[in-house]
Every structure is written in structure tokens, then in C-alpha cells.
């Protein structure tokens, strides 16, 4: 099939490469503009642009998707494929291709429509999530669905881990379904709608008065970004991996008598309910390290103070 591909982050690279390797013709890739990165402020292309360039595919990088309308219409493509593009696609662009667009969305729609479906599912304590191949329309992730697949969310998953699994699953789903999309009628979404709002650095500040189980979700959902964080002796400490300890008698007893945020053992922090066992942390200005190594050099008695 002749396709236009729209995507930007690493999670979209596999889908682009797989479509190309499967023999689909891709006359145009649309991705986010190059952005300044690092201390030098050098312009860096999106991961999808790097992959498209490697594959020898034409690329455009509009600040706004509507700026690519003429380029998209001129391709003669039948269908557009969207994977984490990062911009809303206006009706004029949606109407530019005869079979419209399909979108690989990282949730079980209509749960977690929006910008951060993976992290919101984790923060809410969902036991599973998945990917849906949906028909794109003007509403935010409101289009009917062609097919979905599910995956469990485990306590050991970071958002990065889970997103990589979902990207692989989404690529498999896309390849399995795409040939049948033109002329096929998808199924309207059914169920309770929830919205996955954008993440902010502020909401990942650790409030040690919250239960350990909630804070473990916060830490794992914030990895790799924006990152759960607290302070240790006035310096920021990013928490990369953590788990809520089992409700063993000793852990419960310690948490009951210790003030939230108190260090009650190597890498073990009292919370409002239970103990949070830190697995990996990153002190300000330093590389990530095991929490036990950090704790060996920490000479305070409370975090977040």
C-alpha cells in the first residue's frame, strides 16, 4: 500500500521501519521539527526523522501539521499511519487521503485518551493496558477502533519499559491489520471515557505522607520522564525505581513510628502508610546509582525536609 507516515519519538521508529520492510511504499514521512538539545543547543532531529533518513524516505518537519497539507495530498497515498506524532491533525489534513488515517494508540480506548496514556494507566493502578488501532478523526482519540491487544502492567514496569512493550505490540497489530483497513468499518468505542492529561514536573514531587503503594507507582510512572523527585539535604534527588514493601510486621512497625520521609534503613523510606524501598536514584549533578550506594553516603535522617 502507498502510505504517509506521521510520527516522532523512539516508540514510532519500529513501526516506520516495519512498514518499509514489509514492502509498503512510503512517499512521505511527517515528523516534528528539529529541536535544540544539550548544553550546546545543537539542533537534533526527531528519532523518526533519523530512521526515515536512514531508509532514504522523504521527510517534512512542519511546526504545524496543516503546513504539510499540500505535501501529503501530492503523494497520491491511500492511507496515513500515525504513531505518537505529537500534534493534533486538523480536518483539512484528515481529508487529504482517500482512506483517511489510522492511529496506533497506547491504551485500551476509551480509557486514557490523550497525551500520556501509559503513565496515567500506571498512576491509576490499572492492572492492564494495551494498544488500539483506531480510525483518526478530529476529536481527541475518539475515533472508532479496528482492533486492540492487551498487556499486563507489573510492579517492575517503568513507563519506559511498558512503552517499549506497547510499541512492539502496536507494530505487530499495525502490520496484521493495515491491509484490511481501506473499505473496512471500525467499531465505535464503548465504555467509560478517561482523559490522560499531560504530565508535569510538579505532580511528580514526592509527598511522603502518601501511601507507599501510591509512591511506588509515581516513581515507576515517572521513569524516564519527568521523573519522581524529592530533596535530600536541600539537593534534588530523582527516584528512578522503587517498590512498596510487603506488609511485613517489621516494615509496618517501623513505618508506624517513623515520620514520613524518614530513612528507616538503607534505601528504605517511611511513608504515610508502609515503607518505600528505593531501587535506583539519581542525586543532583550525578549519574544514576543503586539506592543502597546512595544511602551509604547519606548522613541525614529525612527526605523532603
Amino acid at each position: 500500500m502507498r502510505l504517509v507516515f506521521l510520527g516522532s519519538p523512539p516508540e514510532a521508529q519500529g513501526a516506520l521501519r516495519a512498514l518499509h520492510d514489509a514492502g509498503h511504499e512510503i512517499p512521505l514521512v511527517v515528523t516534528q521539527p528539529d529541536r535544540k538539545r544539550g548544553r550546546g543547543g545543537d539542533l537534533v532531529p526527531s528519532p523518526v526523522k533519523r530512521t526515515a533518513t536512514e531508509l532514504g524516505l522523504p521527510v517534512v518537519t512542519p511546526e504545524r501539521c496543516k503546513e504539510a497539507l499540500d505535501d501529503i495530498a501530492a503523494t497520491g497515498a491511500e492511507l496515513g499511519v500515525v504513531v505518537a506524532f505529537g500534534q493534533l491533525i486538523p480536518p483539512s489534513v484528515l481529508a487529504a487521503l482517500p482512506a483517511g488515517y489510522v492511529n496506533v494508540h497506547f491504551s485500551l480506548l476509551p480509557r486514557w485518551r490523550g497525551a500520556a496514556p501509559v503513565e496515567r494507566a500506571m498512576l491509576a493502578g490499572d492492572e492492564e493496558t494495551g494498544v488500539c488501532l483506531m480510525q483518526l478523526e478530529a476529536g481527541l482519540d475518539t475515533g472508532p477502533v479496528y482492533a486492540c491487544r492487551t498487556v499486563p502492567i507489573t510492579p517492575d514496569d517503568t513507563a519506559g519499559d511498558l512503552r517499549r512493550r506497547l510499541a512492539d505490540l502496536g507494530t505487530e497489530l499495525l502490520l496484521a491489520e493495515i491491509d484490511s483497513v481501506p473499505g473496512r468499518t471500525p467499531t465505535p468505542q464503548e465504555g467509560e471515557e478517561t482523559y490522560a492529561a499531560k504530565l508535569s514536573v510538579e505532580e511528580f514531587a514526592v509527598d511522603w505522607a502518601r501511601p507507599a503503594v501510591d509512591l511506588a507507582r509515581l516513581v515507576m510512572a515517572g521513569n524516564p520522564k519527568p521523573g519522581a523527585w524529592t530533596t535530600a539535604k536541600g539537593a534534588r534527588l530523582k527516584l528512578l525505581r522503587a517498590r512498596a514493601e510487603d506488609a511485613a510486621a517489621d516494615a509496618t512497625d517501623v513505618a508506624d513510628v517513623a515520620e514520613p520521609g524518614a530513612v528507616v534503613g538503607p534505601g528504605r523510606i517511611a511513608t504515610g502508610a508502609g515503607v518505600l524501598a528505593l531501587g535506583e536514584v539519581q542525586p543532583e549533578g550525578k549519574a544514576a546509582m543503586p539506592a543502597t550506594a546512595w544511602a551509604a553516603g547519606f548522613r541525614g535522617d529525612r527526605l523532603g525536609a
Side-chain angles (χ1 to χ4, degrees), residues 56-203:
L57 302 175
V59 183
V60 293
T61 58
E63 285 288 350
R64 295 185 178 183
C65 185
K66 65 181 181 181
E67 297 167 6
L69 173 59
D70 291 342
D71 293 311
I72 292 172
T75 62
E78 183 175 6
L79 180 71
V81 175
V82 181
V83 184
F85 175 49
Q87 297 184 31
L88 289 176
I89 299 177
S92 59
V93 176
L94 291 176
L97 300 178
Y101 294 71
V102 293
N103 179 41
V104 178
H105 184 76
F106 293 171
S107 81
L108 297 175
L109 293 167
R111 187 161 179 80
W112 303 126
R113 296 172 176 172
V118 175
E119 293 84 356
R120 294 300 173 194
M122 295 178 68
L123 290 169
D126 291 1
E127 294 184 353
E128 67 175 13
T129 187
V131 292
C132 287
L133 183 66
M134 58 173 286
Q135 183 182 77
L136 207 60
E137 59 182 32
L140 182 61
D141 300 327
T142 58
V145 173
Y146 292 100
C148 295
R149 293 185 183 175
T150 63
V151 294
I153 301 175
T154 75
D156 294 327
D157 282 327
T158 66
D161 298 332
L162 184 55
R163 196 179 291 109
R164 283 187 289 272
R165 295 214 319 270
L166 291 170
D168 290 344
L169 189 63
T171 297
E172 293 175 8
L173 182 63
L174 179 63
L175 291 179
E177 301 288 338
I178 192 169
D179 288 333
S180 67
V181 164
R184 178 176 162 193
T185 302
T187 303
Q189 297 180 27
E190 296 181 352
E192 181 183 358
E193 303 169 8
T194 55
Y195 178 65
K198 289 183 179 181
L199 306 174
S200 68
V201 173
E202 291 75 20
E203 71 178 300

